[in-house]
Amino acid sequence: MRHRPEEYPLMSAAHVIAGCDTETAQHLYFSKETALAGLPRHDLAAFFDAEGNKIGEVRIDDPEPGTSGDIVFGDEY
């Protein structure tokens, strides 16, 4: 299933959002707004709670053909 990042539940639940390539975290985001701006540069997004526990991870996909060009989240890992 594909999701719009701004509507994805873990975007608001996460204390830290990591933008990742296929093997490692590349950048940490501490707010939903900065994550939304930076995530298009990454392949995956990982979500962490305030204790540092990973609460989810999704693939960042290119937009569907015919859409506005915004990224979408793919399947959760």
Side-chain angles (χ1 to χ4, degrees):
M1 182 168 206
R2 297 164 87 62
H3 306 274
R4 294 182 55 174
E6 60 273 8
E7 297 172 356
Y8 193 66
L10 290 181
M11 286 293 286
S12 297
H15 186 70
V16 175
I17 301 163
C20 309
D21 65 9
T22 56
E23 297 180 12
T24 187
Q26 297 174 312
H27 192 93
L28 299 178
Y29 300 96
F30 296 95
S31 74
K32 178 181 177 178
E33 293 75 25
T34 57
L36 287 172
L39 286 177
R41 297 183 300 233
H42 304 287
D43 299 316
L44 303 167
F47 305 94
F48 297 86
D49 64 16
E51 289 80 37
N53 298 308
K54 186 174 168 183
I55 56 176
E57 182 176 339
V58 293
R59 185 181 66 244
I60 299 172
D61 291 335
D62 291 329
E64 293 283 339
T67 64
S68 66
D70 296 331
I71 62 168
V72 293
F73 286 164
D75 296 330
E76 187 169 333
Y77 290 101

